[in-house]
Short mmCIF file of all heavy atoms in Angstrom, two decimals:
data_model
loop_
_atom_site.label_atom_id
_atom_site.label_comp_id
_atom_site.label_asym_id
_atom_site.label_seq_id
_atom_site.Cartn_x
_atom_site.Cartn_y
_atom_site.Cartn_z
N ILE A 1 -22.88 231.32 23.50
CA ILE A 1 -23.52 232.46 22.84
C ILE A 1 -22.55 232.99 21.78
O ILE A 1 -21.49 233.52 22.11
CB ILE A 1 -23.90 233.56 23.84
CG1 ILE A 1 -24.89 233.01 24.88
CG2 ILE A 1 -24.51 234.75 23.11
CD1 ILE A 1 -25.29 234.01 25.95
N SER A 2 -22.91 232.79 20.52
CA SER A 2 -22.00 233.15 19.44
C SER A 2 -21.71 234.65 19.41
O SER A 2 -22.59 235.47 19.65
CB SER A 2 -22.60 232.72 18.10
OG SER A 2 -21.84 233.22 17.02
N LYS A 3 -20.46 234.97 19.10
CA LYS A 3 -20.08 236.38 18.97
C LYS A 3 -20.73 237.04 17.76
O LYS A 3 -20.77 238.26 17.67
CB LYS A 3 -18.56 236.49 18.88
CG LYS A 3 -17.84 236.18 20.16
CD LYS A 3 -16.33 236.40 20.02
CE LYS A 3 -15.61 236.23 21.37
NZ LYS A 3 -15.75 234.87 21.92
N THR A 4 -21.24 236.21 16.83
CA THR A 4 -21.92 236.78 15.66
C THR A 4 -23.40 237.05 15.93
O THR A 4 -24.10 237.58 15.07
CB THR A 4 -21.81 235.83 14.45
OG1 THR A 4 -22.44 234.58 14.76
CG2 THR A 4 -20.36 235.59 14.08
N SER A 5 -23.89 236.67 17.12
CA SER A 5 -25.29 236.96 17.47
C SER A 5 -25.44 238.42 17.87
O SER A 5 -24.48 239.06 18.32
CB SER A 5 -25.75 236.04 18.60
OG SER A 5 -25.02 236.31 19.78
N ARG A 6 -26.65 238.93 17.73
CA ARG A 6 -26.94 240.32 18.09
C ARG A 6 -28.11 240.31 19.06
O ARG A 6 -29.20 239.83 18.72
CB ARG A 6 -27.25 241.15 16.85
CG ARG A 6 -26.06 241.24 15.89
CD ARG A 6 -26.39 241.99 14.62
NE ARG A 6 -27.39 241.30 13.79
CZ ARG A 6 -27.10 240.28 13.02
NH1 ARG A 6 -25.87 239.80 12.95
NH2 ARG A 6 -28.06 239.71 12.30
N ILE A 7 -27.90 240.86 20.25
CA ILE A 7 -28.90 240.81 21.30
C ILE A 7 -29.27 242.23 21.70
O ILE A 7 -28.41 243.05 22.03
CB ILE A 7 -28.37 240.03 22.52
CG1 ILE A 7 -28.05 238.59 22.09
CG2 ILE A 7 -29.40 240.03 23.66
CD1 ILE A 7 -27.36 237.76 23.14
N GLY A 8 -30.57 242.54 21.68
CA GLY A 8 -31.03 243.90 21.88
C GLY A 8 -30.99 244.36 23.33
O GLY A 8 -30.87 243.58 24.27
N LYS A 9 -31.13 245.66 23.49
CA LYS A 9 -31.10 246.31 24.80
C LYS A 9 -32.22 245.80 25.70
O LYS A 9 -33.36 245.65 25.27
CB LYS A 9 -31.24 247.83 24.62
CG LYS A 9 -31.18 248.62 25.91
CD LYS A 9 -31.31 250.11 25.62
CE LYS A 9 -31.29 250.92 26.92
NZ LYS A 9 -31.45 252.37 26.65
N GLY A 10 -31.88 245.51 26.94
CA GLY A 10 -32.87 245.09 27.92
C GLY A 10 -33.26 243.64 27.85
O GLY A 10 -34.11 243.17 28.63
N THR A 11 -32.67 242.88 26.96
CA THR A 11 -32.98 241.45 26.86
C THR A 11 -32.22 240.67 27.92
O THR A 11 -31.02 240.92 28.15
CB THR A 11 -32.64 240.92 25.45
OG1 THR A 11 -33.65 241.38 24.55
CG2 THR A 11 -32.59 239.40 25.40
N ILE A 12 -32.90 239.73 28.55
CA ILE A 12 -32.30 238.91 29.62
C ILE A 12 -32.10 237.49 29.09
O ILE A 12 -33.05 236.86 28.61
CB ILE A 12 -33.20 238.89 30.87
CG1 ILE A 12 -33.33 240.30 31.44
CG2 ILE A 12 -32.66 237.92 31.92
CD1 ILE A 12 -34.39 240.42 32.53
N ILE A 13 -30.87 237.01 29.18
CA ILE A 13 -30.54 235.65 28.79
C ILE A 13 -30.18 234.87 30.06
O ILE A 13 -29.17 235.14 30.70
CB ILE A 13 -29.35 235.62 27.80
CG1 ILE A 13 -29.59 236.57 26.60
CG2 ILE A 13 -29.08 234.18 27.34
CD1 ILE A 13 -30.72 236.18 25.72
N GLN A 14 -31.01 233.91 30.45
CA GLN A 14 -30.78 233.11 31.65
C GLN A 14 -29.66 232.07 31.41
O GLN A 14 -29.27 231.84 30.27
CB GLN A 14 -32.08 232.42 32.05
CG GLN A 14 -33.21 233.38 32.45
CD GLN A 14 -33.06 233.90 33.86
OE1 GLN A 14 -32.14 234.63 34.17
NE2 GLN A 14 -33.98 233.50 34.73
N PRO A 15 -29.16 231.44 32.49
CA PRO A 15 -28.04 230.48 32.35
C PRO A 15 -28.39 229.31 31.44
O PRO A 15 -29.54 228.91 31.31
CB PRO A 15 -27.81 230.02 33.79
CG PRO A 15 -28.32 231.12 34.64
CD PRO A 15 -29.50 231.67 33.91
N ASN A 16 -27.33 228.77 30.83
CA ASN A 16 -27.41 227.55 30.01
C ASN A 16 -28.21 227.71 28.73
O ASN A 16 -28.69 226.72 28.16
CB ASN A 16 -27.96 226.37 30.82
CG ASN A 16 -27.07 226.03 31.99
OD1 ASN A 16 -25.83 226.12 31.91
ND2 ASN A 16 -27.67 225.67 33.12
N VAL A 17 -28.36 228.93 28.27
CA VAL A 17 -29.00 229.15 26.97
C VAL A 17 -27.94 229.03 25.87
O VAL A 17 -26.83 229.53 26.03
CB VAL A 17 -29.66 230.54 26.91
CG1 VAL A 17 -30.11 230.89 25.49
CG2 VAL A 17 -30.86 230.61 27.86
N PHE A 18 -28.30 228.35 24.77
CA PHE A 18 -27.42 228.28 23.61
C PHE A 18 -27.97 229.21 22.53
O PHE A 18 -29.15 229.13 22.17
CB PHE A 18 -27.32 226.87 23.05
CG PHE A 18 -26.64 226.81 21.71
CD1 PHE A 18 -25.26 226.91 21.63
CD2 PHE A 18 -27.37 226.70 20.53
CE1 PHE A 18 -24.63 226.89 20.40
CE2 PHE A 18 -26.75 226.68 19.30
CZ PHE A 18 -25.37 226.77 19.24
N ILE A 19 -27.11 230.08 21.99
CA ILE A 19 -27.48 230.98 20.91
C ILE A 19 -26.46 230.80 19.79
O ILE A 19 -25.27 231.06 19.97
CB ILE A 19 -27.53 232.45 21.39
CG1 ILE A 19 -28.58 232.60 22.49
CG2 ILE A 19 -27.84 233.38 20.22
CD1 ILE A 19 -28.62 233.98 23.12
N GLY A 20 -26.92 230.34 18.65
CA GLY A 20 -26.04 229.99 17.54
C GLY A 20 -25.55 231.17 16.73
O GLY A 20 -25.73 232.35 17.08
N ASN A 21 -24.95 230.84 15.60
CA ASN A 21 -24.35 231.85 14.72
C ASN A 21 -25.41 232.71 14.03
O ASN A 21 -26.45 232.21 13.62
CB ASN A 21 -23.50 231.15 13.64
CG ASN A 21 -22.40 230.31 14.24
OD1 ASN A 21 -21.56 230.81 14.99
ND2 ASN A 21 -22.41 229.02 13.93
N ASN A 22 -25.12 234.00 13.95
CA ASN A 22 -25.95 234.95 13.20
C ASN A 22 -27.40 235.02 13.68
O ASN A 22 -28.32 235.29 12.91
CB ASN A 22 -25.93 234.60 11.70
CG ASN A 22 -24.52 234.54 11.15
OD1 ASN A 22 -23.73 235.45 11.36
ND2 ASN A 22 -24.20 233.45 10.47
N VAL A 23 -27.59 234.80 14.97
CA VAL A 23 -28.92 234.94 15.56
C VAL A 23 -29.15 236.42 15.90
O VAL A 23 -28.25 237.11 16.36
CB VAL A 23 -29.05 234.07 16.83
CG1 VAL A 23 -30.32 234.42 17.61
CG2 VAL A 23 -29.03 232.60 16.46
N THR A 24 -30.38 236.88 15.70
CA THR A 24 -30.77 238.24 16.08
C THR A 24 -31.90 238.16 17.10
O THR A 24 -32.93 237.53 16.83
CB THR A 24 -31.22 239.05 14.86
OG1 THR A 24 -30.16 239.13 13.91
CG2 THR A 24 -31.64 240.45 15.27
N ILE A 25 -31.71 238.79 18.25
CA ILE A 25 -32.74 238.85 19.29
C ILE A 25 -33.00 240.32 19.59
O ILE A 25 -32.07 241.10 19.82
CB ILE A 25 -32.31 238.11 20.57
CG1 ILE A 25 -32.00 236.64 20.24
CG2 ILE A 25 -33.38 238.20 21.65
CD1 ILE A 25 -31.46 235.85 21.41
#
């Protein structure tokens, strides 16, 4: 999970998910 990604409040990320650079959720 890239440190440049932004993940909103209350969002659940389950194991083994890949999140690339500059992703917004």
